[in-house]
Amino acid sequence: MADVHNKKTRSYNMSKIRSKGTKPELIVRKFLFRNGFRYKPHDKMLPGKPDLVFPKYKTVVFIHGCFWHGHDGCKYFVVPKTCRKWWLDKKNINTEEKKSK
């Protein structure tokens, strides 16, 4: 299936998808810091570059957004109009991975 956007538009859209400093991540970080938890954000030395690393507790936290993990009943998850089958399969795989952990 051909892309519905030209190369410049697709590049711009993809550049707006952030992996660091997302709103859910900042909310969690502020809450934890305010409650006395100290952490290291986005440690590149660990596999998967976890969002938060708590060296004192030997614990990591990944903060997943609604777009990639589409929680049941979530009003923020919308299946894209193009390649619907692929996106639904992707959501189901992500949901299964989350359940198995």
Side-chain angles (χ1 to χ4, degrees):
M1 176 182 211
D3 197 349
V4 295
H5 297 295
N6 63 34
K7 194 171 184 176
K8 185 176 180 180
T9 304
R10 173 63 58 208
S11 178
Y12 174 78
N13 289 348
M14 295 304 287
S15 74
K16 295 302 173 190
I17 300 172
R18 299 178 307 185
S19 62
K20 298 178 184 177
T22 61
K23 190 172 184 178
E25 180 185 335
L26 293 177
I27 290 169
V28 171
R29 285 172 56 176
K30 286 178 183 180
F31 173 82
L32 291 171
F33 193 85
R34 198 173 340 141
N35 286 286
F37 291 95
R38 299 302 179 251
Y39 53 84
K40 182 177 180 181
H42 309 286
D43 189 349
K44 295 175 185 171
M45 300 304 286
L46 294 172
K49 291 190 265 181
D51 295 314
L52 304 174
V53 179
F54 298 88
K56 179 179 177 180
Y57 303 104
K58 296 183 181 176
T59 303
V60 299
V61 174
F62 290 89
I63 302 168
H64 298 298
C66 294
F67 179 78
W68 299 111
H69 295 275
H71 312 99
D72 291 333
C74 179
K75 66 180 182 178
Y76 299 109
F77 176 72
V78 178
V79 179
K81 292 178 183 174
T82 58
C83 302
R84 288 184 69 82
K85 183 183 179 329
W86 187 89
W87 282 110
L88 288 171
D89 291 344
K90 174 73 172 158
K91 179 212 174 269
N92 292 334
I93 290 168
N94 287 346
T95 305
E96 288 302 316
E97 287 175 0
K98 184 172 56 172
K99 287 179 183 176
S100 67
K101 290 181 182 178

